[in-house]
Amino acid sequence: MCLIMLVLVPALSAADSQITFGWDVFFAWDAAHYFKIVTEGYASADGGLSPQVAFFPLFPGIVKAIASVGIPVIPAGVLVNSWAFLGAVLCLYRWVSERYSVTVARWVTAVLVWCPFSIFGLVFYTEGIFLLFSIAALAAFDRQQYVQAAIWGACSTLTRIVGMALIPAFLIVAWRERRSPQAYVVGLSVGVGLLAYMSYCWVTFSDPLAFISVQHQFWERSRGFNLSDWLMLVQQVAVGPVNSARGLFADPWYPVGMAAIVTIAAVLWRKRKAMGDVRAGSCLFVLFVVAWLIAGDPFVNLLTIWGGIAVLWLSRRSLGLLLGTYAAFSVAIILASGAVTSAERYIYAIVPVAIALGEWLSRHRRWGYAVFSFFSILLVTFSIRFAQNQWVA
């Protein structure tokens, strides 16, 4: 993917395009906010809240420390996130091989690496570093290495607000499994990172929840579950973006095509025993790809978010109490944030999703090969789009 972004995209871009070979292909959208935190801090020109307050400080703090020795900010940010993502993959492989098996660990890490949203583990974003901290915290707590769990957990809450899901997960597991008092202390100490940033916001902006307030101010996010936006996303997939914006019959062929796909898929599913699992599965996969070609990004977003939640629910027994509880609270935080935009990227960073999907695919390998084929298409597409400063997630 790095070669595609560094070499292929600049080569295919128009002569008058601003896209050139270099680190800038890894820098777009939210990266600009982290860059500004590194170079200017959180203060705004008028002394009020700046959009950057929504972004937690540990990642830009590490980047600033590395940049202080002479490395340019953008390469420093890309390298920090990329190396952290590699560390997250290695940590996940070791932990899953302990909990399940080496075979399952291979499939799980393949899901994490091959998922199209893994592109955000290679750019100036926080996916890689958050995955590293959250996986390390979960693995350490599972092994009852409480000092490590407390340190990595605090780093998680200083990186993203979703890291707070570790707190109830650790406390509930400590209670249900009757662990030592140390486990309860770890659960509470995870919140140190979040409390530190809240204290900074309170002192600087007189609002300990400034990182939430600023999202409503600059991005107009609703408070709590945003039902209307979720219904809009479902509508975009069901009847098409054009019809949802202009009226049901602005593009009459979209709902006809989507209805035909759903009908054929239902028939194939009912006849799968007579057709044979391989033939029926191949036909269903082709229909799936056609649905994506018709519906585009809303289809991928809806599938990632609600499909990820469905996978978590179906795998709740195999995940166990620790992973299941962490996943449940993480999803609750994401849904309660009022954010529909980028929710698919946040779901990807909940590591139990990759574990649940990888474990299932290890038992259904034909579906696994189909899933990774589709992932490959999206991963290349997303890489090209991000390098061209087009919206991905």
Side-chain angles (χ1 to χ4, degrees):
M1 294 306 103
C2 291
L3 289 176
I4 290 175
M5 298 175 72
L6 279 170
V7 180
L8 183 61
V9 173
L12 295 178
S13 300
D16 58 349
S17 172
Q18 296 182 353
I19 300 172
T20 58
F21 176 86
W23 291 98
D24 285 348
V25 297
F26 302 105
F27 185 87
W29 302 103
D30 286 356
H33 294 292
Y34 290 114
F35 182 87
K36 193 167 184 179
I37 295 171
V38 173
T39 56
E40 302 177 18
Y42 285 105
S44 63
D46 58 1
L49 288 177
S50 66
Q52 287 72 43
V53 177
F55 300 88
F56 279 43
L58 185 54
F59 172 65
I62 295 173
V63 174
K64 185 173 183 178
I66 294 176
S68 66
V69 300
I71 300 176
V73 174
I74 295 178
V78 174
L79 291 174
V80 167
N81 192 42
S82 299
W83 281 103
F85 183 68
L86 176 60
V89 172
L90 296 175
C91 183
L92 179 64
Y93 179 86
R94 180 185 175 189
W95 183 37
V96 174
S97 63
E98 293 173 2
R99 285 178 59 96
Y100 297 91
S101 68
V102 171
T103 300
V104 173
R106 289 172 180 168
W107 282 90
V108 169
T109 51
V111 168
L112 191 70
V113 171
W114 221 249
C115 177
F117 296 106
S118 66
I119 180 65
F120 293 101
L122 302 175
V123 298
F124 202 121
Y125 269 58
T126 59
E127 263 65 22
I129 196 169
F130 178 75
L131 280 167
L132 174 61
F133 292 150
S134 59
I135 293 170
L138 289 164
F141 191 85
D142 192 38
R143 300 176 183 129
Q144 300 188 29
Q145 298 170 341
Y146 293 132
V147 174
Q148 294 183 38
I151 294 172
W152 295 122
C155 289
S156 298
T157 58
L158 198 57
T159 303
R160 279 188 175 180
I161 193 172
V162 180
M164 324 173 31
L166 292 169
I167 300 173
F170 287 176
L171 292 176
I172 290 173
V173 170
W175 167 58
R176 291 292 300 273
E177 296 183 357
R178 297 182 178 179
R179 295 199 182 187
S180 66
Q182 280 183 294
Y184 293 93
V185 174
V186 170
L188 295 175
S189 63
V190 166
V192 168
L194 178 62
L195 288 174
Y197 189 46
M198 290 176 64
S199 300
Y200 169 82
C201 291
W202 195 358
V203 172
T204 307
F205 306 109
S206 301
D207 181 2
L209 298 178
F211 51 87
I212 295 177
S213 303
V214 75
Q215 297 182 41
H216 305 304
Q217 178 178 339
F218 289 95
W219 287 279
E220 298 181 352
R221 288 183 179 175
S222 63
R223 297 182 183 273
F225 183 71
N226 192 341
L227 180 60
S228 60
D229 281 3
W230 288 111
L231 291 176
M232 177 62 71
L233 182 59
V234 173
Q235 187 178 2
Q236 288 176 344
V237 174
V239 300
V242 175
N243 293 330
S244 63
R246 302 180 186 175
L248 187 58
F249 298 105
D251 181 12
W253 290 110
Y254 181 99
V256 171
M258 192 59 71
I261 290 173
V262 172
T263 302
I264 296 171
V267 172
L268 286 171
W269 184 256
R270 291 191 62 181
K271 301 291 185 180
R272 67 187 185 280
K273 296 299 182 183
M275 293 178 61
D277 290 338
V278 175
R279 183 179 298 176
S282 299
C283 294
L284 286 170
F285 177 70
V286 171
L287 285 174
F288 177 85
V289 174
V290 171
W292 166 65
L293 291 173
I294 294 174
D297 283 352
F299 180 77
V300 175
N301 298 344
L302 190 67
L303 181 68
T304 302
I305 298 163
W306 295 105
I309 294 172
V311 167
L312 289 172
W313 174 255
L314 294 173
S315 304
R316 61 192 183 278
R317 289 187 176 85
S318 64
L319 285 175
L321 182 61
L322 177 62
L323 287 171
T325 307
Y326 170 69
F329 280 97
S330 297
V331 170
I333 292 171
I334 293 170
L335 295 182
S337 67
V340 175
T341 303
S342 299
E344 63 277 8
R345 179 162 58 85
Y346 302 142
I347 290 290
Y348 164 74
I350 303 175
V351 73
V353 176
I355 295 175
L357 181 57
E359 194 275 332
W360 186 84
L361 292 178
S362 70
R363 294 183 282 107
H364 303 84
R365 298 194 178 187
R366 286 196 180 95
W367 282 109
Y369 301 140
V371 167
F372 286 123
S373 298
F374 184 64
F375 277 0
S376 300
I377 298 171
L378 287 182
L379 189 54
V380 172
T381 303
F382 284 5
S383 299
I384 293 173
R385 284 167 53 182
F386 188 93
Q388 294 177 334
N389 290 323
Q390 298 180 36
W391 180 254
V392 176

